Amino acid sequence: MILDGKAVAQKVLDEVRAGATDLRAATGVTPTLAVVLVGDNPASKSYVNSKKRMAASLGMESPDFVYPDGLGQAELLALVERLNADPAIHGILVQLPLPRGLDEDAVIARISPLKDVDGLTPVNLGRLLAGADGMIPCTPAGCMEILDYYGAKLEGAEAVVVGRSRLVGKPLAQLLLARHATVTTCHTRTRDLAFHTRRADILCVAAGRAEVITGDMVKPGAWVIDVGFNRLPTGRNVGDVDFASVSEHAYAITPVPGGVGPMTIAMLMKNTLLAARRQLGR
Ligand code: NAP
């Protein structure tokens, strides 16, 4: 079974559009996502533009705050503080990576947890660990949404997450654990990666290495979520999973592109609506 991230994302986006319309009708307030971009990284510019376009298509506002490379740390922190204090702003997205010289961790930590739609502040990551309500990072949240949409049974399942980044692997492992999966997290020091991946009923791969997981590493009947997105020298985009060989073993698999990718932006929009609702006490 191909797990169609575009279809799942569309369902999420339709719900967000309806939710934004209802919120505006009830309160007169439009959910608003402030987008902060520093420097001229072309990929970051393109991500920011697609987020803005998506927000507009859902009836949300997304004012941008664009600065050239050279903006100082203190100025950036002051901007974040200003956005934190502005009641018309419900979500704050600081596009990463920031140019060299800026302290990303300090900037993220300064975002109000209520407006932290990326779910990356220490407070929200801590809430995830504590099992408390907070903001969930968008990509792992998107992986869970796909698994739920297609009815994967998580309780009691062996789940293996390849990758332990703050952005994807660690929060995804926590989310699976919260749903009563038995979770193993693998990384570059894992001694025998295939030993672990072959045990997985649910295999989630966020290694950032093109096609590192091959068919012989996957248990027959497994669900495989491929978070990776890698551009090969040939210009072809592939995941961290070798789709051709793994799809012969897996019961269900996300393609690249068209799997987890479309979910990330959809979950960002969902988090923005959630942030607006919470700030409006709804
Ligand atoms: P990252 O920060 O580079 O982390 C990669 C993780 O994978 C690290 O924990 C690393 O282990 C581990 N790893 C690398 N090679 C490995 C190997 N051969 N065996 C086992 N573990 C290995 O990457 P990330 O930000 O989590 O992103 C992961 C992938 O997802 C990338 O391809 C990225 O492009 C993609 N991504 C996609 C989306 C989307 O919207 N679709 C969003 C975010 C990320 P160590 O900790 O030991 O170094």
Side-chain angles (χ1 to χ4, degrees), residues 139 162-165 168 187-188 193 206-209 227-230 261 264:
T139 302
V162 182
R164 57 174 168 180
S165 69
V168 188
H187 44 79
T188 55
L193 182 62
R209 300 275 182 280
V227 182
F229 191 83
N230 311 283
T264 298

Side-chain angles (χ1 to χ4, degrees), residues 242-256:
D242 174 35
F243 186 87
S245 64
V246 170
S247 57
E248 286 178 17
H249 295 253
Y251 166 70
I253 181 168
T254 56
V256 175

Side-chain angles (χ1 to χ4, degrees), residues 96-108:
L96 303 178
L98 289 171
R100 260 215 300 256
L102 292 172
D103 179 347
E104 255 175 37
D105 286 354
V107 173
I108 290 170

Side-chain angles (χ1 to χ4, degrees), residues 134-206:
M135 285 286 169
I136 309 284
C138 303
T139 302
C143 296
M144 299 302 289
E145 194 81 24
I146 292 177
L147 288 167
D148 283 340
Y149 180 91
Y150 284 99
K153 185 175 177 298
L154 301 178
E155 190 171 330
E158 288 287 338
V160 173
V161 179
V162 182
R164 57 174 168 180
S165 69
R166 177 174 63 180
L167 189 63
V168 188
K170 279 184 193 164
L172 183 53
Q174 284 303 318
L175 290 167
L176 289 161
L177 188 61
R179 297 286 297 279
H180 311 295
T182 301
V183 183
T184 303
T185 302
C186 299
H187 44 79
T188 55
R189 317 293 161 84
T190 297
R191 251 184 248 137
D192 184 351
L193 182 62
F195 166 79
H196 295 284
T197 57
R198 272 191 213 114
R199 287 189 301 108
D201 302 309
I202 311 282
L203 176 60
C204 300
V205 189

